[in-house]
């Protein structure tokens, strides 16, 4: 080697971990493998950047620990002969995986009825990945420099080895405080303010309703602007009786929808009480079916869930919901994890107390519903003594997030021969799981309370696991959900990063996959939970055909 080359290698070796580059490249290769949601080249590039930084960082930490323990190390000369060949192997692996990436993505796209892609745009992936990785590595190196500085200062009063450990701990704590206290909270506040401004904005075409039974009308206890953007949409889009009759062929009543936004009252308790008063005013407690619904983080109540129920019961349904956040569910889950549970408890408690006061022979059947973070809050709204005293009639929880304690317990205690993505619980008298197509154990007897979980096998909001960095999730074991690729493999750290990115894009798929639950897939669960009379197979086929057409229109 020339002296210039040797000088360059010395400079490179002092500032960069050669083994870190190799492991980082292998992490990039792993990031190209399929997960639950198909990725665009831009998203793939960002994911590759994070994976490279993760692989590099893990290697550097391992090398630092190895050095700290005074274990044998390669000499500079040995490293020059070992690392380049390993780098060549890593580059070859990345190339092979890059050539396979389009096929892997197309497997997922085919399962979701998406058109195939011809390539993976390697230059786009490389550009985004390089930029993200460089930014992260610069940040890591700044932290390392700060740690060395802290260790040197501490070494003035403590032995070097103790100072080294303490310097790292102080730096890590400071970085965490800055990231969580300054960056994260600042970003969340900014997103929250923007979302609140959007929530308060009343479009010109969103006119306040004029019917007495509508929340937000002149007769309502709530002002139209206090319903929030999603609340106004939920109330105004209730199907009319004649529209329901055209589908069912039977006389129908007007479904009632009550919604209380975040601006409607100062405290959560006041908003919950206001919801009960408004429900009383419109006659919600006089309907056959009463649903306490918990929206997603943004306040959205999925019409794909409500409209099938309202058709199945010919409009004889009242639904009451309460907003608790402006943020998307996955953001709210990370920064405001308790808000949904507190809101669910407040709303259900207020409704349940009023419901208990009604004559038992005339009060409506009471059900719970929640989607995403709303399902998490709805599950936590129940108390054991309420279930033993005057229990609810049932619940439908859709896309429950992985943090839901009840869902976690039921999944862990499933029958051993049932998969984690579609658990079966012995006889299924109280709780059953379905993906909309299978799992309801039709024909098996139900108990007095009926609870159904609707979850797609491709929903990362449900199946993300905080420990997937170090162990393979159970849902990856055979048999897998139909829409999960056979080529999906578990890789330490990489899989967790893939699933984290999948959560952020879980809605960027056609209805019926990921975290977008289809109209037609709610029909079976609502039938099982509420048991509406008079539905023959022929009439159910007509109902499904109606909602399949509606889904097709929305997707196009």
């Amino acid at each position: 080697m020339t002296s210039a080359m040797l000088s360059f290698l010395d400079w490179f070796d002092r500032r960069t971990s050669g083994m870190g580059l190799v492991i980082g490249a292998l992490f990039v290769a792993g990031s190209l493998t399929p997960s639950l949601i198909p990725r665009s080249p831009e998203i793939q590039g960002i994911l590759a950047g994070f994976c490279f930084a993760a692989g590099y960082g893990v290697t550097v930490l391992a090398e630092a620990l190895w050095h700290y323990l005074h274990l044998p190390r390669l000499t500079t000369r040995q490293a020059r002969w070992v690392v380049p060949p390993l780098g060549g192997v890593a580059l070859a692996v990345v190339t092979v995986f890059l050539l396979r990436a389009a096929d892997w993505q197309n497997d997922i796209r085919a399962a979701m009825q998406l058109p195939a892609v011809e390539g993976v745009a390697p230059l786009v992936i490389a550009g985004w990945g390089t930029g993200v990785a460089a930014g992260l590595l610069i940040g890591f190196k700044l932290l390392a420099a700060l740690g060395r500085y802290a260790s040197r200062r501490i070494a003035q009063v403590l032995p070097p080895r103790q100072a080294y450990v303490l310097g790292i701990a102080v730096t890590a704590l400071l970085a965490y405080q800055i990231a969580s206290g300054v960056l994260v909270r600042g970003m969340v506040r900014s997103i929250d303010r923007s979302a609140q401004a959007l929530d308060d904005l009343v479009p010109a075409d969103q006119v306040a309703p004029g019917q007495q039974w509508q929340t937000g009308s002149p007769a309502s206890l709530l002002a139209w602007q206090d319903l929030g953007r999603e609340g106004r949409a939920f109330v105004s889009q209730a199907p009319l009786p004649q529209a329901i009759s055209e589908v069912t062929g039977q006389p129908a009543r007007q479904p009632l929808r009550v919604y209380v936004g975040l601006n409607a009252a100062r405290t959560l308790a006041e908003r919950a009480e206001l919801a009960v008063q408004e429900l009383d005013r419109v006659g919600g407690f006089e309907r056959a079916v009463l649903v306490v619904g918990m929206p997603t983080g943004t306040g959205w109540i999925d019409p794909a869930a409500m409209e099938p129920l309202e058709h199945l019961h010919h409009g004889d349904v009242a639904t009451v919901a309460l907003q608790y956040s402006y943020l998307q569910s996955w953001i709210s889950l990370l920064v405001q994890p308790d808000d949904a549970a507190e809101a669910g408890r407040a709303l259900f408690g207020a409704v349940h107390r009023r419901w208990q006061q009604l004559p038992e022979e005339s009060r409506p059947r009471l059900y719970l519903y929640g989607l995403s973070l709303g399902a998490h809050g709805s599950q936590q709204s129940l108390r054991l003594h309420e279930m033993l005293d005057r229990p609810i009639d049932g619940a439908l929880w859709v896309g429950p997030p992985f943090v839901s304690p009840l869902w976690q317990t039921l999944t862990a205690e499933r029958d051993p021969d049932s998969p984690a993505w579609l658990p079966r619980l012995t006889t299924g008298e109280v709780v059953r799981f379905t993906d909309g197509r299978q799992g309801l154990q039709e024909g098996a007897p139900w108990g007095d309370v009926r609870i159904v979980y609707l979850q797609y096998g491709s929903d990362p909001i449900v199946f993300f696991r905080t420990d997937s960095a170090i162990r393979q999730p159970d849902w990856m074991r055979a048999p897998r959900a139909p829409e999960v690729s056979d080529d999906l493999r578990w890789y330490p750290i990489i899989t967790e990063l893939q699933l984290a990115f999948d959560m952020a894009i879980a809605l960027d798929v056609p209805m019926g996959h990921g975290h977008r639950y289809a109209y037609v897939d709610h029909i079976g669960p609502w039938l099982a939970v509420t048991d509406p009379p008079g539905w023959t197979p022929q009439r159910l086929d007509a109902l499904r055909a109606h909602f399949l057409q509606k889904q097709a229109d929305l997707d196009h």
Side-chain angles (χ1 to χ4, degrees):
M1 292 186 182
T2 65
S3 58
M5 179 64 71
L6 289 173
S7 298
F8 171 77
L9 288 174
D10 287 339
W11 175 89
F12 187 81
D13 183 62
R14 287 196 304 271
R15 290 162 177 79
T16 307
S17 166
M19 189 59 68
L21 295 176
V22 171
I23 301 301
L26 293 176
F27 270 52
V28 169
S31 76
L32 295 167
T33 60
S35 52
L36 293 178
I37 304 295
R39 298 185 289 269
S40 68
E42 293 80 8
I43 295 296
Q44 178 59 66
I46 297 172
L47 172 61
F50 272 88
C51 285
F52 179 87
Y56 185 91
V58 167
T59 306
V60 169
L61 288 175
E63 288 177 341
L65 178 61
W66 192 273
H67 176 69
Y68 178 78
L69 296 175
H70 295 293
L71 295 173
R73 302 178 66 194
L74 293 177
T75 65
T76 301
R77 183 179 181 84
Q78 290 171 333
R80 289 173 184 162
W81 287 103
V82 171
V83 173
L86 290 178
V89 172
L91 183 60
V93 171
V94 171
T95 302
V96 171
F97 277 49
L98 195 60
L99 293 174
R100 287 287 316 276
D103 292 336
W104 285 329
Q105 291 299 307
N106 285 333
D107 284 345
I108 311 174
R109 297 177 69 87
M112 297 184 177
Q113 292 84 50
L114 287 168
V117 295
E118 296 183 359
V120 293
L123 293 180
V124 175
I125 294 174
W128 280 95
T130 301
V132 170
L136 292 172
L137 290 181
I138 289 172
F140 290 155
K141 286 185 176 293
L142 289 174
L143 284 176
L146 179 61
R148 288 192 295 269
Y149 173 78
S151 296
R152 286 195 300 268
R153 297 302 298 267
I154 296 172
Q156 296 175 3
V157 295
L158 291 176
R161 292 170 71 86
Q162 296 177 17
Y164 181 70
V165 173
L166 191 57
I168 292 175
V170 169
T171 303
L173 180 61
L174 179 62
Y176 173 78
Q177 291 297 326
I178 292 174
S180 62
V182 177
L183 297 180
V184 173
R185 291 178 188 174
M187 290 175 60
V188 169
R189 280 197 296 268
S190 177
I191 295 172
D192 192 58
R193 283 194 296 267
S194 300
Q196 183 177 3
L198 181 63
D199 195 68
D200 292 340
L201 181 65
V202 182
D205 61 343
Q206 204 173 57
V207 182
Q211 299 296 322
Q212 184 175 359
W213 51 267
Q214 290 177 299
T215 300
S217 68
S220 175
L221 300 177
L222 291 110
W224 181 237
Q225 61 268 24
D226 288 343
L227 270 61
R229 181 169 63 100
E230 299 295 356
R232 290 187 291 270
F234 174 65
V235 168
S236 62
Q237 293 171 4
L240 297 174
Q242 53 269 35
I244 296 175
S245 294
E246 288 175 2
V247 177
T248 64
Q250 302 292 318
R253 300 184 69 181
Q254 175 60 57
L256 300 174
R257 296 181 175 185
V258 171
Y259 193 99
V260 178
L262 272 173
N263 292 329
R266 186 174 57 87
T267 68
L268 178 58
E270 290 172 344
R271 292 194 293 273
E273 191 57 39
L274 188 57
V276 173
Q277 293 173 7
E278 177 72 2
L279 191 62
D280 239 334
R281 184 193 69 81
V282 300
F285 289 103
E286 300 168 11
R287 293 306 174 95
V289 172
L290 173 58
V291 178
V292 179
M294 288 303 297
T296 64
T298 60
W300 183 60
I301 291 283
D302 191 357
M306 291 296 102
E307 290 186 26
L309 174 68
E310 290 163 342
H311 280 69
L312 285 169
H313 289 273
H314 309 291
D316 200 7
V317 177
T319 305
V320 57
L322 182 72
Q323 186 181 18
Y324 54 88
S325 173
Y326 301 114
L327 303 174
Q328 290 189 5
S329 287
W330 68 274
I331 300 177
S332 185
L333 181 63
L334 294 174
V335 300
Q336 302 169 340
D338 298 328
D339 286 9
E342 292 172 358
R345 178 60 197 157
L347 180 60
F348 175 74
V351 173
H352 190 254
R353 285 190 296 272
R354 179 69 182 94
W355 179 78
Q356 284 181 308
Q357 297 169 2
L358 303 173
E360 188 170 352
E361 65 277 3
S362 62
R363 65 191 180 200
R365 286 184 287 163
L366 181 60
Y367 298 95
L368 297 180
Y369 162 78
L371 165 65
S372 191
L373 192 55
H376 171 63
S378 183
Q379 290 174 78
Q380 294 188 282
S381 68
L382 294 173
R383 294 294 182 270
L384 179 61
H385 68 273
E386 294 167 340
M387 293 295 291
L388 294 176
D389 182 17
R390 291 184 174 88
I392 60 171
D393 291 274
L396 174 58
W397 290 316
V398 182
F402 63 95
V403 296
S404 305
L406 179 58
W407 174 87
Q408 289 179 347
T409 299
L410 294 171
T411 301
E413 295 178 353
R414 69 187 185 277
D415 291 354
D417 61 339
S418 63
W421 55 271
L422 193 64
R424 185 176 65 252
L425 300 170
T426 317
T427 60
E429 291 183 354
V430 178
V431 180
R432 297 180 188 179
F433 288 76
T434 181
D435 63 354
R437 308 162 187 86
Q438 55 183 324
L440 279 174
Q441 300 167 247
E442 295 180 3
W446 276 100
D448 293 332
V449 178
R450 303 181 176 191
I451 296 174
V452 169
Y453 285 90
L454 171 59
Q455 55 190 39
Y456 292 151
S458 58
D459 188 348
I461 303 294
V462 178
F463 294 111
F464 177 85
R465 287 188 60 95
T466 54
D467 63 350
S468 57
I470 58 174
R471 57 173 295 196
Q472 176 177 299
D474 287 347
W475 56 264
M476 291 181 62
R477 306 182 193 280
R480 289 181 173 179
E483 64 267 45
V484 175
S485 172
D486 291 335
D487 291 321
L488 192 156
R489 297 289 184 270
W490 175 76
Y491 299 102
I493 302 176
I494 298 171
T495 296
E496 181 154 355
L497 287 171
Q498 288 179 317
L499 295 176
F501 273 72
D502 283 348
M503 285 200 295
I505 58 174
L507 293 175
D508 298 338
V509 292
M511 189 172 288
H513 305 281
H515 202 54
R516 289 192 66 198
Y517 288 85
Y519 284 82
V520 71
D521 289 334
H522 287 84
I523 294 175
W526 278 128
L527 275 169
V529 171
T530 65
D531 194 24
W535 283 92
T536 63
Q538 294 76 16
R539 292 177 61 201
L540 284 173
D541 287 342
L543 186 65
R544 291 190 180 98
H546 166 75
F547 282 115
L548 282 172
Q549 183 59 54
K550 185 163 189 171
Q551 289 171 203
D553 294 341
L554 289 172
D555 275 335
H556 295 91

